[in-house]
């Protein structure tokens, strides 16, 4: 069970590593919690707060097309 600070990489497509998703941050009882950074292959990256495995509260979502969302 994931608990504490850590990094988790998962395959989205293929085996070459170009489409890996990555979460780096805090875990609690195998769920993302606290502050963390999640990359979404082909979409962008979220940095902010997590609660019970879901984005929650303040955060920033930066998209590959250079759009940026900051807020709740």
């Amino acid at each position: 069970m994931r608990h504490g600070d850590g990094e988790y990489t998962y395959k989205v497509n293929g085996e070459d590593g170009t489409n890996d998703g990555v979460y780096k941050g805090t875990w609690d009882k195998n769920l993302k919690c606290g502050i963390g950074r999640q990359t979404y292959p082909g979409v962008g990256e979220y940095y902010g707060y997590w609660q019970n495995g879901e984005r929650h509260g303040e955060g920033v979502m930066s998209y590959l097309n250079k759009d940026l969302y900051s807020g709740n």
Side-chain angles (χ1 to χ4, degrees):
M1 189 174 286
R2 296 174 195 98
H3 188 82
D5 293 334
E7 182 174 328
Y8 180 70
T9 302
Y10 58 95
K11 298 287 184 204
V12 176
N13 290 322
E15 296 297 319
D16 62 2
T18 58
N19 290 321
D20 287 351
V22 178
Y23 172 77
K24 186 173 184 177
T26 308
W27 298 86
D28 183 34
K29 298 176 186 161
N30 222 31
L31 296 173
K32 299 169 193 169
C33 74
I35 295 178
R37 182 179 309 275
Q38 171 78 49
T39 58
Y40 299 96
V43 178
E45 179 178 271
Y46 171 79
Y47 176 77
Y49 289 94
W50 297 80
Q51 183 176 346
N52 296 319
E54 302 288 330
R55 295 182 301 213
H56 182 82
E58 289 286 322
V60 176
M61 182 72 193
S62 55
Y63 296 91
L64 294 179
N65 68 1
K66 306 297 183 206
D67 285 353
L68 185 72
Y69 174 81
S70 178
N72 285 318

